[in-house]
């Protein structure tokens, strides 16, 4: 893997302050998204790597504010302060915040990012006010209103064709599959936090109650419910491969790996079945490494 110093040099990040900022963000991503971080370092050209990391950390930091524990009023107030801080930074083109200072540098390199930042900030209210899905229509609204704007923070950097309808549609299919998969694989963790992200209509169609899930009842109905969620996620992920054609040649290995990693997670979730009621499913490390190695060879 290329040295981090060479990566910063290739991206034209010369300021000691910014080099320290981006290095700190790199450590954050490498801790909480190890596979994705490895994919970015291995598969993307060096000049774009720090910028993908900056937008990823911004998204993660914002999510942390939205998802922290406590009354919704307190989280809303914290989010108001964060949104004001971000918008002020965009207007002034400067900030002392360790997440926003590198983000502003990335915005100057990719001016189209301003649209995605502002759209994502507005979308935060949707997650803040989330209380569950009555049906599939509510879930699809959540994808459009929150999940897709969050994904476009990174996806918008990967191609100059990010505003084309075909690319946006493929990105939406990807994030639909990825989000549905997250809700299935993180079911146990979400229930412990008091959240249930499966539409009520879907539960009722399978004859499953929230109490069944909370009590970890591994019934045929529960297994059928989880299998359906995973099948739906896999179908959307397969359809999303069309996004790769919109990427520059140098970014296509990353696009394929991004989708492939989710497919490996879906495979792990399918094998785990009703044990998802107790713990999350994650992609097999050997399989993930094989995927990255294959795409790295194609890049070379």
């Amino acid at each position: 893997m290329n040295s981090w110093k060479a990566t910063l040099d290739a991206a034209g990040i010369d300021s000691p302050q910014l080099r320290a900022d981006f290095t700190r963000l790199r450590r954050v991503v490498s801790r909480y998204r190890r596979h994705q971080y490895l994919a970015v370092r291995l598969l993307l050209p060096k000049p774009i790597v720090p910028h993908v990391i900056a937008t990823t950390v911004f998204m993660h930091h914002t999510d942390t504010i939205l998802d922290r524990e406590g009354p919704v009023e307190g989280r809303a107030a914290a989010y108001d302060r964060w949104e004001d801080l971000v918008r002020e930074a965009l207007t002034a083109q400067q900030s002392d915040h360790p997440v926003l200072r590198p983000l502003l540098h990335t915005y100057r390199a990719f001016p189209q990012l301003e649209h995605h930042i502002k759209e994502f900030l507005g979308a935060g209210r949707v997650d803040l006010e989330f209380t569950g899905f009555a049906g599939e229509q509510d879930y699809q609204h959540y994808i459009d209103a929150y999940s897709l704007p969050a994904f476009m923070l990174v996806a918008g950097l990967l191609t100059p064709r990010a505003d084309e309808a075909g690319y946006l549609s493929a990105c939406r299919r990807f994030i639909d599959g990825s989000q549905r998969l997250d809700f299935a694989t993180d079911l146990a963790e979400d229930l412990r936090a008091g959240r249930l992200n499966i539409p009520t209509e879907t539960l009722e169609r399978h004859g499953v109650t929230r109490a069944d899930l909370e009590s970890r009842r591994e019934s045929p109905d529960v297994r059928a419910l989880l299998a359906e969620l995973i099948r739906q996620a896999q179908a959307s992920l397969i359809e999303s491969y069309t996004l790769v054609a919109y990427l520059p040649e140098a970014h296509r290995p990353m696009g394929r790996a991004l989708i492939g990693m989710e497919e490996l997670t879906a495979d792990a979730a399918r094998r785990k079945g009703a044990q998802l009621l107790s713990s999350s499913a994650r992609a097999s490390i050997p399989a993930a490494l094989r995927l990255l190695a294959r795409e790295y060879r194609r890049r070379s």
Side-chain angles (χ1 to χ4, degrees):
M1 187 184 296
N2 293 307
S3 76
W4 179 243
K5 179 181 180 298
T7 300
L8 293 174
D9 291 343
I13 300 171
D14 302 320
S15 156
Q17 176 67 76
L18 281 172
R19 289 173 79 90
D21 287 338
F22 278 100
T23 299
R24 184 165 46 249
L25 300 191
R26 175 180 73 95
R27 295 192 189 104
V28 171
V29 174
S30 68
R31 283 197 301 268
Y32 82 93
R33 294 209 168 172
R34 188 168 297 277
H35 288 166
Q36 291 87 340
Y37 168 74
L38 186 58
V40 168
R41 290 296 307 277
L42 283 174
L43 302 180
L44 283 176
K46 291 193 292 292
I48 198 174
V49 167
H51 303 300
V52 169
I53 287 174
T55 54
T56 300
V57 173
F58 168 68
M59 178 175 60
H60 175 67
H61 185 85
T62 304
D63 273 343
T64 300
I65 294 171
L66 291 167
D67 293 342
R68 65 180 51 173
E69 295 182 1
V72 67
E73 294 80 7
R75 292 188 288 118
Y79 187 71
D80 285 341
R81 291 191 294 272
W82 174 241
E83 184 177 5
D84 288 345
L85 191 64
V86 176
R87 292 187 184 278
E88 288 167 6
L90 289 173
T91 299
Q93 281 297 290
Q94 63 179 10
S95 175
D96 292 329
H97 194 283
V99 170
L100 297 182
R101 191 165 47 228
L103 182 73
L104 289 174
H105 181 81
T106 291
Y107 158 66
R108 285 189 283 271
F110 297 86
Q112 73 271 24
L113 184 60
E114 180 177 13
H115 164 73
H116 297 301
I117 292 172
K118 290 182 176 178
E119 191 171 58
F120 176 60
L121 285 175
R125 300 285 159 192
V126 175
D127 195 58
L128 197 61
E129 297 165 4
F130 175 81
T131 57
F133 304 121
E136 180 67 16
Q137 185 175 350
D138 294 324
Y139 168 75
Q140 294 297 333
H141 172 72
Y142 182 87
I143 295 299
D144 286 323
Y146 182 73
S147 302
L148 183 59
F151 179 59
M152 292 308 298
L153 285 168
V154 173
L157 299 181
L158 296 180
T159 175
R161 304 170 65 186
D163 60 347
E164 291 190 25
Y167 184 65
L168 289 171
S169 176
C171 287
R172 192 195 185 284
R173 286 194 290 273
F174 169 78
I175 202 61
D176 185 347
S178 178
Q179 186 69 83
R180 200 183 299 271
L181 184 60
D182 276 351
F183 286 161
T185 58
D186 292 339
L187 179 59
E189 180 181 339
D190 289 338
L191 285 170
R192 285 193 293 270
R195 289 170 64 108
L196 178 58
N197 298 316
I198 301 172
T200 301
E201 288 177 2
T202 305
L203 293 173
E204 291 174 348
R205 188 171 69 252
H206 284 274
V208 174
T209 67
R210 180 172 186 146
D212 291 332
L213 301 177
E214 290 177 333
S215 64
R216 304 177 185 175
R217 184 168 176 245
E218 297 187 18
S219 67
D221 290 338
V222 168
R223 287 191 286 272
L225 166 69
L226 294 173
E228 178 186 316
L229 296 176
I230 295 164
R231 280 195 304 271
Q232 288 176 316
Q234 288 175 312
S236 293
L237 291 170
I238 290 170
E239 292 174 357
S240 74
Y241 272 103
T242 56
L243 71 81
V244 176
Y246 290 87
L247 301 178
E249 189 68 35
H251 295 174
R252 289 178 183 178
M254 180 64 198
R256 289 189 295 265
L258 184 70
I259 302 167
M261 286 284 194
E262 293 295 278
E263 290 184 306
L264 291 177
T265 302
D267 289 341
R270 179 178 47 77
R271 289 192 298 270
K272 195 159 190 175
Q275 292 179 29
L276 290 170
L277 298 175
S278 302
S279 60
S280 299
R282 294 293 179 260
S284 157
I285 292 176
L289 292 176
R290 286 194 297 270
L291 170 64
L292 293 179
R294 182 173 69 247
E295 291 300 339
Y296 184 75
R297 288 193 296 270
R298 294 177 73 172
R299 174 181 180 268
S300 303

